[in-house]
Each structure stands twice: as structure tokens, then as C-alpha cells.
Amino acid sequence: MQRSEALNEADRLMTICNSCRYCEGLCAVFPAMEMRRAFTSGDLNYFANLCHACGACYVDCQFSPPHEFDVRVPSVLARVRHESYADYAWPRALAPLFRRNGLAVSLIAVLSIAAFILGFVAFNDPRALFASRPGPGSFYALMPHNAMALLFGAAFLWAVVAFIKGARAFWNDIGETRSALAAPRPLLRAVRDAASLRYLDGGGVGCYNEDERTKDNRRFYHHLTFWGFMLCFASTSIATLYHYLLHREAPYPLWDLPVVLGTLGGLGIVIGPLGLYAAKRKREPMMMDHDSRGMDIAFLAMLVLTGATGLTLLVLRETSAMGVLLALHLGAVFALFVTLPYGKFVHGLYRFLALVRYARERHTAAPEARSEREARST
Amino acid sequence: MNGQSDIAEHPAAYDVVVVGGGNAALCAAIAARRAGASVIVLEAASKFYRGGNTRHTRNMRCAHDAATATLSGPYSEDEFWDDLVRVTDGQTNEQLARMMIRESKDMLDWIFDQGVRFQPSLGGTLSLGRTNSFFLGGGRAMLNALYLTAERLGVDVLYEAEVVALDIDGDRFHAATVQRKEGRMRIRGKALVAASGGFESNIEKLVEGWGEIARNFLIRGTPNNRGTVLDMLLGADVDSVGDPTQCHAVAIDARAPKYDGGIITRLDCVVFGIVVNRNAERFYDEGEDVWPKRYAIWGRLVATQPDQIAYIIFDAKSANLFMPSLYPAIEAASIGELAAKFDLDPEKLTETVAQFNAAVHEGSFDPDTLDDCHTENLTPPKTHWARRIDTGPYYAYPVRPGITFTYLGVRVDHEARMMMKAGGPAANMYAAGEIMAGNVLGRGYAAGIGMTIGSVFGRIAGRGAARHAAQ
């Protein structure tokens, strides 16, 4: 198979790095590289998805630009990562969504929000959109709960199927077997490594952003974003259980679990992405892949939009602005759901799987080269 | 000096002027600053290329009493001394070397306190994990940490500031003149620390010592080590130490860039095959010794061969026994074809390999010990790891001498003060790092000693210079 330019460049860099190995203490990528002498496309996609873009190897590299060897591991692996997302996309017909992702996601978001507003107007008396009605069930006056559950359930299910298909494509590409996913220890290790962002710390010193100083704020904001997302997800799940099991209708009181979790989560997915965006603006350009910038920013923007509309809805839910805000929020959530498998969100999925593989091979594979330490005198 | 009128005077006079920007210079600058002195560092390179050869280093050899998180076992002062005597054949200043080894015990903690991080010991494989501490991320990471610490402490650093003149009166330093983009500037100081490296990047100077063959040498590190500051000092009657042809030289891939190829151009496969010269003849025992000794001899061996080039020849059996290389090995289906790819005489090389194969006495091959695979009735012999080269495809790497650093330098005393030709130490001039490495290394090399020399003498020089400035 014809290799992309990015894969060829990654191959060139990994060949250089494998003859150096000074970075082996920084993260998981280099030890994984050292287990091999030559690199298949699957290997390179595995390294790329294992890389957390902490920047340490760029800042520490004696061969980074302006050196003629032009070693830029973070940016090249970011490009390979970005291309790999499109390769694993399901259905294949939607792979091009990764190309101009910022534009695609924005359009989908605008269209879904418009659809919700128009839908509310079409199915209800237009004046109902601007009526204020406090109390349980007020949301469902605009959209019946079952319709809401069906629509969002379908979008969510679509995303889940796409993730499973993508995960299988990645797993096959890197040459792992289905049974390898069943072992509990690597899975547990990977959960721990992913949840703590273990490899976003430059081997212990912290992660880099604009220069050779470690600024660990990306790690902090990523934690806010990730855990915020999880809290929002928990809030939605609990609310669904409330509805169907306890027959309690939204909106819920401020002290109730879905609102507390949703509020905290909403704050997380607003503050976290804004912090990540601010860091991205200041980031050393040589560490980044500029082609995936649109995709990164689109996902951050979708999270902020979802969180901000949700929080605003919470504050103004008893006023006449509720109808429009609900349409906005539902439109944002819907767009977020349907675009999850076709945007930056998938980095978490493939990175997690790469961590599972790394946890497994660390304990099974012996380092490939003998006496590598002795070969590293200065 | 002519044209003094167009030399700007730096507004500040510093307590300590440090010339150079590598490990030794930064250890000196930090130590002097911590001792209360005002310090300026004059680095010829740009910010990216700062630090000379330190950018390419990886580890440091220090004595220590017990295993640590980064070292797999103890390494006593006596053992360190024995290793040094072995690699230098005793060509070292024992008093200085033992003092350095004693001081090295405290060095790892001190370096750690300056923000440098070490890699956890990987254990397992051979030797160095016990004796040497590896910088997390390598030499450039180490430098980044030292520079950040120096800047935080208030050390002034000038990049792209090459020292072009030293104002020395008798045994006393007064000022350094630097060439910058905007012109020349004179910087006064109460004490000087010269930590500006050796002269390996100055081909003309290598030719003075080695003759014309030096034009075929490759330089593994910085192109900035041209020995200009060393020349100024020797010209000002500072006493010299060492031999102009002694240096750390290894055999590196002949396809490497002329300068700054760093660690990745080295090849560690000599022991797995045979090494032939342009005439397709073997010239030295490829199985003489284990690492690290063999590493440091092949540069000099290749330097003495015609055109300063040699070829490591091995077969498919050995292809995966050593570190992956930057440039791929040249491959061919037969020895004759392999020879043709390098313009060697195919018949002659085929004959050389056949003679070698016929002499091989295979025992049980073990790359990690001095095994019993050797040749019989062959000159030169291959005393270990001798296996027939008979399994295609066949491979070769072309190699040339790669100069890491030079040993001719300034003589110093145990306080890192330069010694004057007239006898006695200089009043206020100190030296650290490669510019004085010849005091410890008369010849030969063992991994990580360059960094030990730089750190230990750098810290001593910095403290001494600060003390002198405070008087």
C-alpha cells in the first residue's frame, strides 16, 4: 500500500529516534518504538495515537529545527494521528468529514440548532416558544420526552456504533487480536494511565507549551474538560433513569443530582476547553500539526457551546427565554453527539486503545536490541 | 589592539565572566552566582545551538556508595579510579583525577538541585546502568534545566557572542571582547572562567597535529569548538597540557554530516563482523575487548588507514544484534557484490572473507561476555565473537573517524586555576570542561567522564572565581 507523506516522515523520524533513544524516559512512545527495528504503517499509527503531544521530546531534541535532521516528533505524529482518524472512520463515506472538520462541525451545529428552533415553532404554537412556565414538565411542553429520548438515543447509538467500528479498524491496523482486549490487567493499567494523563507530563517534569519551560496547564485544563464531560454524561444518564424509573420529570430542583452534576460538568466543559484553546494559541508552532487545528478548535467550541447553553438554560429556565435556550442547547447537544465520531473526540478512544496495547506489550516483549545501554556512551 | 574606538564598553563590570555555554560553563556560572557573584555567560552559539557538545551528551559518571533510583548499584571511588587508569593507560594526573572522583560523589545531588532530572535505571543490560546516570531527555534537556536555573538566579547570558579577544596582563584577566551582530563589545570582569571547549571543529588545527589525514575526519559535535579561546590563553603564556593528537574519536558512519551528527551516527557492530580498509584488508582485532573500550579505539584505528575510511562487513546472522542505525546498512547477495558497491576490489574482499572464515574456530557465541569464538593462525586475529561470514544477505557500513573532543588544553591546579608557563597559578583565571580535560584524560575515554570533568571542575571554578572576586 502506498504510504502517505506523513507516514513516510514519521518512519524517517522514528528511524532517527531509534538510533538515539535519549527520549526513552519521557513517555510511552519511545519505549514502544524500541521494541521494533522497522516500522509498519500500523506501528506508526500506534505510536502516533500513543503520543500525548506533551512536547518534551521536541524541547529536548538536539536534532530539532534548525538542525538539518529536522526532527519534529510531536507535529509529525499529530499529522499521522489526524490522518489515521479518517482511515478508521465508519462509514467510510464520512471519512472526508475529517478533512475540513472545523467547517463541517460548524455547519452541522448550525443546522441542528436551526432544526430544533424550527421544529419547536412548527409543532407548537409559535407563541409557546416564548412563554414562561415554571415547574416540572415545562421542557416537554415544547418537545415530548419520548420524542426527545428517541432522537437523542438514536444519535447516541449511532455514535457508539461508529466508535466500535473505528476501534476495530484501529485494533486491526496495529495488528492486535480481539482476545488481547480481554486481558484485565492491561485494561486496568490503561484506564489509570488515561484518567491521570500519565504521559502528558514529559516524564515527570510537566508538559511544554510555548518554550522550554514546563507549564502544566494543558494537563489541568484537559482534566477539567474530560471530567466535566463525564459529569455531564452522568447527569444526563441519571436524569433519564429518574424519568423512566422514578417517573420524575425535568427540570429538577437545583440541589438535585442531575442539576449538581450537570452544573459542575458544564463549568468543566466551558473552562477546560477555553484554557486549552488559550494554551493552543500560545503553543510553539513547530510542535503542532496545522492541518488538524480546525478539528481541535471545532471540538473545543462544541464543548463550550454545549456547556454554555446548558448553564444559561439552567439560570433562565423559568423565564420566557427558556424555549429558545432549550432549542439552542438541544441543538448543540445533538450536533455534539452526531459529530463525536467525526472529530477530535476520537483521539481519546484511539489513545486509550494504544495505552492498552502498550500496557500489554511492556510486559510481554523484551526490548528488541541487546545492550542498548552500552551503546549509548557519549 | 587596533580599532579600539569601535568597541563598545559593556556598562556593567561583572565579578565573573564565563566563556562558553555548555555543562562546565553553566555549572561554573550557577556555582558562582549562588556564591553571591554577578555573572555573565558568553555563548558563541544561538539559543538553539547553545551548550556546545553538551547537547549531544547523555550521561555522567559519578562515584556513589549505594544504588539509587537512577543507578543500579554502588560505584566506589577506587573502582572509578581503576576504570580511569585502564582507559587512559595511566596517562592522567592522579592527584587531580582522584580529587575529581571524590568531588563527583556529591555531584549528582548538586546537579539534581539545579533542576536536572535523571532517568530511572532501566537495569537489565550491560554495565552503564550502574556507573552512569542518564539525563532524562538527554543533554539538551539537561542544558535547558541549567539555563533556566541560571536565568532564575540572575545570571546574564549573551547568545551569539563569540569571544574574539581576551585582555590579559601577565597572569591577570581584565576583560573579554565579544563579536556580536551589532558590533564588538568589551566586558570587564574580576575573574575569568574559560569553559569554551576544545578545537575539534577547527580542521586546520587538527591538520597541525595529525597532518592532512585530518581533512577526512568527521566532527560529531558542535561546529563552534574552534579552539580560539584556548589559543588566546596559550598565547598569553598559560601552560598547556596534553597532546594535540589525543582526543575521543570513534568510528562513525561515513555518511554522517561533517558536523553535529551527534550520537546517532555511531555504529556498534565492529565485534559482529570484520573491518577492512580500502584495500579490502583487515587491520586490527575486531574482537579485542568488550564495550566501552573498543568503542574508543576504532576512531584512531580508522584514522591510520588509507583515505581514513573502513568498512564493517557482517552477515544476516548478526543483522539484529546491535542498536538500529541512522543510515541503513548497505546490502548485497554476495561479498563480491557488496565490494562493488563501495568500489572495493571484489576478488580481494571475497578472498579476505574466505581466509577469515577458514580461520574461525566457533565455540559458543555470547555477545555479552568475552566468549570462546576466535580465529586461529590469522593475522590480525579476531580473539572473540568470531563467526563465519557465510549467511546472505551480506551487509556493510562505511566508517570514518568521528572526533568527539580534543585533549590538548590548559593546565590547571586542584582549584581549577590555570597554571602559567612561568610556574604557579594565574591570579584570577579558571578553566573547566573540555578546555582542561587533558589534565584528567591523557588518552582514551570512558562514557560519561567528559560530563564529570565539566561539572566537577565547573563548580570548583565557579566557586573559586566568586571567592576571588569577593576579595
Side-chain angles (χ1 to χ4, degrees), chain A residues 56-70:
Chain A
C57 65
Y58 179 82
V59 172
D60 292 351
C61 180
Q62 64 274 37
F63 304 117
S64 57
H67 194 283
E68 65 187 275
F69 291 159
D70 194 29

Side-chain angles (χ1 to χ4, degrees), chain B residues 119-276:
Chain B
Q119 205 179 295
S121 164
L122 297 181
T125 52
L126 281 167
S127 71
L128 284 184
R130 180 173 67 85
T131 57
N132 291 40
S133 296
F134 287 67
F135 309 124
L136 181 70
R140 191 167 165 231
M142 184 229 195
L143 275 170
N144 289 341
L146 292 180
Y147 272 95
L148 285 174
T149 298
E151 285 159 18
R152 191 171 43 79
L153 293 170
V155 170
D156 289 342
V157 177
L158 292 186
Y159 296 112
E160 295 172 69
E162 186 189 351
V163 171
V164 291
L166 291 175
D167 182 353
I168 295 170
D169 180 14
D171 65 351
R172 186 171 289 277
F173 161 84
H174 294 289
T177 303
V178 293
Q179 177 72 50
R180 307 198 69 196
K181 277 200 196 79
E182 54 271 28
R184 293 194 167 195
M185 185 166 53
R186 188 167 176 275
I187 299 159
R188 285 162 297 136
K190 292 181 186 167
L192 166 76
V193 177
S196 50
F199 57 89
E200 68 279 355
S201 327
N202 188 334
I203 305 298
E204 296 307 321
K205 268 191 81 77
L206 292 178
V207 168
E208 281 174 35
W210 287 83
E212 287 299 311
I213 63 170
R215 299 200 187 278
N216 288 327
F217 293 175
L218 299 170
I219 313 308
R220 300 176 71 210
T222 177
N224 292 326
N225 281 2
R226 293 182 299 105
T228 46
V229 173
L230 175 62
D231 283 347
M232 290 171 210
L233 292 168
L234 298 181
D237 291 332
V238 172
D239 197 12
S240 72
V241 70
D243 169 336
T245 70
Q246 286 300 339
C247 58
H248 174 23
V250 302
I252 64 170
D253 200 305
R255 296 164 288 183
K258 183 75 179 174
Y259 292 103
D260 217 49
I263 189 75
I264 60 181
T265 58
R266 57 86 173 80
L267 292 162
D268 177 30
C269 50
V270 165
V271 294
F272 300 114
I274 58 171
V275 183
V276 301

Side-chain angles (χ1 to χ4, degrees), chain A residues 22 61-62 374-376, chain B residues 55-56 58 140 266 291 322:
Chain A
Y22 281 19
C61 180
Q62 64 274 37
E374 60 161 4
R376 295 172 190 146
Chain B
R55 292 173 58 247
H56 291 293
R58 174 164 208 184
R140 191 167 165 231
R266 57 86 173 80
W291 203 269
F322 51 90

Side-chain angles (χ1 to χ4, degrees), chain A residues 1-8 41 44-45 83 87:
Chain A
M1 201 176 122
Q2 191 64 33
R3 269 193 183 179
S4 71
E5 202 183 313
L7 282 171
N8 282 331
S41 299
L44 297 167
N45 285 329
E83 284 180 7
D87 285 345

Side-chain angles (χ1 to χ4, degrees), chain A residues 52 188-199 355 359 362:
Chain A
H52 289 48
L188 209 62
R189 177 79 260 180
V191 168
R192 281 216 302 270
D193 292 345
S196 64
L197 296 176
R198 176 178 174 189
Y199 295 114
L355 285 167
R362 259 175 77 193

